[in-house]
Amino acid sequence: QVQLIESGGGLVQAGGSLRLSCAASGRTFISSYTMGWFRQGTGKEREFIAAISWTGGSTYYADSVKGRFTISRDNAKNTVYLQMNSLKPEDTGIYYCAAAWGARTNLRDMGQYEYWGQGTQVTVSS
């Protein structure tokens, strides 16, 4: 099993920043995993936010967050991060960390990810 635990969510005013963390626990090691962040707003389906290749050499972002969010990974800490700056009310939602072993053809595709965390709530007030 791949066990992922998100943290760092909370309530923030528009224009503020948050850093989300996704830590792998137990015997799970993320060094060989493609990692992604997805968001589910109220009444919405889960949507792609950001992803990073298992090598760390490539990153991908949804158009809505590009230039504001940064995904990174620290394999030594067995953790992936999502730095969120210039937050907007539309960024509100539950943020999920996801993992897929090895390389994937389309890192924006939710179906490419096999393992998911339970999510952390981010609320951005206007």
Side-chain angles (χ1 to χ4, degrees):
Q1 286 185 316
V2 176
Q3 297 175 313
L4 304 174
I5 302 175
E6 302 96 334
S7 62
L11 175 64
V12 64
Q13 293 185 0
S17 298
L18 286 173
R19 189 183 74 165
L20 305 184
S21 298
C22 173
S25 62
R27 298 178 62 186
T28 301
F29 301 96
I30 69 167
S31 59
S32 296
Y33 286 84
T34 296
M35 303 296 295
W37 286 97
F38 292 78
R39 178 177 68 207
Q40 186 168 9
T42 302
K44 301 284 188 178
E45 294 186 0
R46 200 169 299 181
E47 64 178 335
F48 168 78
I49 297 299
I52 186 166
S53 63
W54 72 275
T55 64
S58 299
T59 57
Y60 304 86
Y61 298 94
D63 289 341
S64 61
V65 306
K66 192 172 185 178
R68 299 187 298 119
F69 291 10
T70 302
I71 187 171
S72 62
R73 65 193 302 156
D74 188 338
N75 291 342
K77 296 181 179 180
N78 216 24
T79 302
V80 63
Y81 304 96
L82 184 68
Q83 178 66 46
M84 305 186 295
N85 298 326
S86 301
L87 283 162
K88 304 175 181 179
E90 64 192 53
D91 295 319
T92 294
I94 303 173
Y95 284 72
Y96 296 90
C97 177
W101 192 91
R104 291 291 185 270
T105 302
N106 185 0
L107 278 66
R108 296 176 173 87
D109 183 4
M110 184 175 67
Q112 298 292 304
Y113 297 86
E114 304 168 33
Y115 310 103
W116 297 82
Q118 295 184 5
T120 184
Q121 177 70 42
V122 172
T123 303
V124 184
S125 64
S126 60

